[in-house]
């Protein structure tokens, strides 16, 4: 029987790359999305061409009850939840003196509370199986900070602390919990930055280039696989030497 991987925020960008890579590894994919209507169908079709099962689930992962229903539906559809990749995230950047309460709360809810919601409702299935992998997307900003991103940095730093605590709680059940902390990743969002801003970022990266989404997906693939069975409570930085 195939393993089942749940990937949140998986219809495009890094999440899409992760879903495709895990599908290539032989996992069936439960693909979570919220806003895009066409992209999830395209990603599902691409995954199915690989030869595994894929189903898209629309759900606001910041909502506790919605996530419970989604995880119950995934368990019923696939029969197991073996890998959980908490990838969904947003930014609402701004200097603290100008940041609204709404912008702070939204980033914490989508980026951090969603990790609690998904773990709270997926981990019980893993505990019953006595096996599982939880992999959450942190960020270089959660390790080093970044002016204008106090909300984002707090959410990503919170994910790291949450994951370390959870790793201690459920390690005896055969479940590993780790984080991947990307640096600058070439995505449509970052490619829209002004050229001078991009040049300034590249100057801080030892490898002098941004990551491809597949660079991130490769590390997630490793952590989800058998070779990473003795790795838990760790943060794997994938930043090209942007922060050491």
């Amino acid at each position: 029987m195939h393993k089942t991987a749940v990937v949140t925020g998986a219809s495009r960008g890094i999440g899409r790359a992760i879903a495709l890579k895990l599908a290539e590894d032989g996992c069936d994919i439960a693909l979570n999305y919220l806003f895009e209507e066409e992209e999830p169908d395209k990603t599902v079709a691409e995954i199915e061409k690989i030869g595994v099962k894929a189903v898209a689930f629309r759900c606001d992962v910041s909502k506790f009850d919605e996530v419970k229903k989604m995880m119950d539906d995934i368990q019923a559809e696939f029969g197991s939840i073996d890998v959980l990749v908490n990838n969904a995230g947003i930014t609402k950047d701004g200097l603290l003196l100008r940041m609204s309460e709404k912008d702070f709360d939204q980033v914490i809810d989508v980026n951090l509370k969603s990790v609690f919601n998904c773990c709270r409702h997926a981990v019980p299935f893993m505990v019953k199986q006595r096996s599982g992998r939880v992999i959450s997307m942190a960020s270089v900003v959660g390790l080093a900070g970044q002016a204008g991103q106090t909300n984002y940095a707090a959410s990503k730093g919170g994910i790291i602390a949450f994951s370390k605590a959870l790793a201690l709680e459920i390690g005896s059940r055969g479940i590993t919990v780790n984080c991947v902390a990307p640096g600058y990743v070439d995505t449509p969002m970052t490619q829209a930055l002004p050229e001078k801003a991009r040049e300034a970022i590249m100057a801080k990266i030892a490898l002098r280039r941004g990551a491809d989404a597949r660079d991130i997906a490769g590390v997630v693939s490793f952590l989800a696989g058998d070779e990473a069975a003795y790795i838990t409570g760790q943060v794997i930085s994938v930043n090209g030497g942007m922060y050491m």
Side-chain angles (χ1 to χ4, degrees), residues 90-96 98-99 103 107 146-153 189:
I90 62 169
T91 58
K92 295 279 184 178
D93 295 348
L95 296 175
L96 177 67
R98 300 173 185 170
M99 185 176 292
D103 284 350
V107 170
Q146 175 65 37
Q149 289 192 310
T150 52
N151 50 2
Y152 188 76
M189 181 177 67

Side-chain angles (χ1 to χ4, degrees), residues 191-207:
Q191 289 166 3
L193 290 171
E195 186 61 30
K196 286 188 177 180
R198 285 171 55 84
E199 289 175 358
I201 292 170
M202 294 303 161
K204 297 178 181 179
I205 301 173
L207 296 181

Side-chain angles (χ1 to χ4, degrees), residues 55-244:
V55 180
F57 294 84
R58 188 177 187 277
C59 170
D60 182 346
V61 290
S62 72
K63 306 297 184 185
F64 187 83
D65 290 338
E66 285 191 31
V67 173
K68 182 182 189 310
K69 183 180 185 306
M70 180 179 72
M71 293 301 178
D72 287 346
D73 289 346
I74 291 170
Q75 177 71 19
E77 177 72 30
F78 291 90
S80 69
I81 296 177
D82 304 287
V83 180
L84 169 62
V85 182
N86 293 303
N87 169 74
I90 62 169
T91 58
K92 295 279 184 178
D93 295 348
L95 296 175
L96 177 67
L97 295 181
R98 300 173 185 170
M99 185 176 292
S100 68
E101 181 183 16
K102 180 180 178 182
D103 284 350
F104 185 87
D105 288 348
Q106 282 187 334
V107 170
I108 296 297
D109 285 348
V110 175
N111 295 6
L112 178 56
K113 190 184 177 188
S114 68
V115 175
F116 163 74
N117 290 341
C118 290
C119 289
R120 176 63 181 82
H121 296 305
V123 166
F125 295 119
M126 296 180 178
V127 168
K128 290 179 182 178
Q129 298 165 185
R130 300 194 68 81
S131 67
R133 299 280 191 273
V134 178
I135 304 160
S136 298
M137 303 307 295
S139 168
V140 63
V141 174
L143 295 169
Q146 175 65 37
Q149 289 192 310
T150 52
N151 50 2
Y152 188 76
S155 71
K156 295 301 184 177
I159 288 171
I160 291 170
F162 175 94
S163 298
K164 288 178 178 290
L166 183 60
L168 291 170
E169 287 188 23
I170 61 178
S172 64
R173 308 301 179 91
I175 305 165
T176 65
V177 186
N178 293 290
C179 295
V180 176
Y184 180 90
V185 183
D186 283 320
T187 64
M189 181 177 67
T190 57
Q191 289 166 3
L193 290 171
E195 186 61 30
K196 286 188 177 180
R198 285 171 55 84
E199 289 175 358
I201 292 170
M202 294 303 161
K204 297 178 181 179
I205 301 173
L207 296 181
R208 295 296 190 269
R209 69 172 180 87
D212 185 275
R214 290 171 294 185
D215 294 322
I216 313 304
V219 177
V220 173
S221 169
F222 168 70
L223 290 173
D226 293 340
E227 293 181 347
Y230 202 61
I231 299 173
T232 196
Q234 303 304 307
V235 183
I236 311 299
S237 292
V238 190
N239 61 37
M242 184 179 189
Y243 174 76
M244 304 184 197

